[in-house]
Amino acid sequence: MDPYMRVTEESHGVPVLIGADSARRTTSLCFSIAFGGRHDSPEGSGAAHLMEHLLMSAPLDGGASLAERIEGLGGECNASTGPESLLFFAQVMNEDACAVAQWMTQAVLHPEIDDKIFDSERRVVLTELAAAAADPSDIVQERFLAELFRGHPLSQPSGGTEESVRELTLKIVEESHRRATTTRPMAFSAVGGIDPEALRATLGNSALASAAVAPLTSGGPVAEPPALPLVSQRTDPSWPDEFCWLVAGGRAPRLADRERFASVVLGHLLGSSAASPLYQRLRGENALAYMFRSWSRSYSDTGAWRFLAGAEPENAPRVLEEFRSALSEVADKGPLEGSLAAARRLAVMEAVREAEDPLEHAITLANQRCALPGPWDPEQHIQAVLATTGEEVAAAAARLSDELLVVASPEGA
């Protein structure tokens, strides 16, 4: 018996993935478009993010918005914009799932946006950006990614900037919507107790049925511009005289590369778990940092591996020194078997939680289907993690160590 639900796939113009489980009383839905901050035009930075807000908040068929309708049923919904993804997702009772699927496809593909809702949601986005700009842990990551992908579309902040969002017009966002829904891969997923036949019938009569065929379904992902070579920054940042955040990291493999699993395991090996050797250095032995984590994120053409830590000014240089030392040790000698086993188990647990949480499963199914052929299979993912060797993790550490990029925020004088 399969440990996870079997996912079926079919096309209504875009891939539809259904994971049916009659024991559940709720259904989780996700509509994903492979369009994010990297796809904003030069004059439209932040358009994808503003579009995400508008599609959730604009009137639907002249009435309540998508968000109002879903939450009026007692459901939960949200949306997010990433570097190369727009995600719209909800969790509702089974009896409401077909109606919500219909509303979701209508709202995303055929929005009703006027100047009033445009101005209102732009103010909301500006408030969101102001909150992020007040958080040094957000600022340091934006600066890191801007440097890591300098000259590449991934260097653009997914939400835009205050200046760029103020310059956006309804016409720019409408053009972004047209490009997103006619030139980029899309996928729809449903996980839970929904009746598959009822969902198929609903989607067969929805806006999804007449959507443009996603490029992925006709022969592979849309080609992205190649990532430029990383210019290594070997010098330490200027440390401030106050609490600061630092990021150290580098490039990671793209989503389709098997080598990405070594980067994922390395993230857990040097992460915030008490089983991590870096945890012992930063917390157990020296009490240098309380808040830190490491992780790898893969995109269609490249990826980013990050170590993020917050530290007091007298500790920040030592935090970086301990991280560099731990990374070099893994690169030179390979991980200790016990530490490697723990890191692999943490990566497995991460995948299991994602598979067993219906909403997370739905989001992963739709999001990854926009970039890869075929549905995400958690068991295959887990087996790839478990097959990751110490030599592969050491090689991932060596690549990072050779081209380590370090950024701190706020910056010192």
Side-chain angles (χ1 to χ4, degrees), residues 198-228:
L199 179 63
R200 292 185 187 103
T202 296
L203 295 179
N205 294 309
S206 73
L208 199 66
S210 57
V213 175
L216 179 61
T217 64
S218 58
V222 173
E224 300 288 5
L228 299 176

Side-chain angles (χ1 to χ4, degrees), residues 229-310:
L230 174 62
V231 178
S232 179
Q233 177 185 312
R234 301 303 300 175
T235 58
D236 288 354
S238 298
W239 301 110
D241 57 2
E242 60 185 292
F243 188 93
C244 70
W245 290 88
L246 67 95
V247 175
R251 298 279 177 83
R254 65 191 181 106
L255 191 62
D257 288 343
R258 192 202 174 283
E259 289 82 1
R260 72 183 178 95
F261 293 102
S263 291
V264 170
V265 172
L266 180 64
H268 289 286
L269 185 77
L270 298 181
S272 58
S273 164
S276 159
L278 186 60
Y279 179 96
Q280 302 304 322
R281 290 170 178 251
L282 296 183
R283 289 280 301 274
E285 298 173 9
N286 301 305
L288 294 175
Y290 173 69
M291 294 172 286
F292 64 93
R293 61 185 288 240
S294 301
W295 72 102
S296 185
R297 184 80 70 244
S298 292
Y299 306 113
S300 57
D301 55 346
T302 184
W305 194 99
R306 278 169 273 186
F307 164 72
L308 169 70

Side-chain angles (χ1 to χ4, degrees), residues 46-103:
H49 183 215
L50 179 52
M51 178 168 60
E52 168 220 312
H53 280 254
L54 290 167
L55 300 185
M56 291 292 288
S57 303
L60 184 58
D61 291 331
S65 69
L66 175 63
E68 289 171 320
R69 291 179 185 227
I70 293 172
E71 296 188 0
L73 295 173
E76 296 182 354
C77 63
N78 211 332
S80 67
T81 305
E84 53 185 15
S85 64
L86 278 171
L87 300 173
F88 304 88
F89 45 92
Q91 188 170 44
V92 297
M93 299 296 289
N94 292 335
E95 57 267 28
D96 300 320
C98 285
V100 171
Q102 180 85 27
W103 296 337

Side-chain angles (χ1 to χ4, degrees), residues 16-19 26-32 66 70 76-78 87-94 96-105 187-194 199 202-203 358-366:
V16 175
L17 304 106
I18 305 174
T26 64
T27 294
S28 296
L29 306 164
C30 181
F31 194 173
S32 176
L66 175 63
I70 293 172
E76 296 182 354
C77 63
N78 211 332
L87 300 173
F88 304 88
F89 45 92
Q91 188 170 44
V92 297
M93 299 296 289
N94 292 335
D96 300 320
C98 285
V100 171
Q102 180 85 27
W103 296 337
M104 190 178 289
T105 57
F188 190 93
S189 65
V191 174
I194 193 169
L199 179 63
T202 296
L203 295 179
L359 182 57
E360 289 299 319
H361 196 167
I363 290 171
T364 303
L365 280 172

Side-chain angles (χ1 to χ4, degrees), residues 171 176 249 251 262:
K171 183 177 180 180
S176 292
R251 298 279 177 83

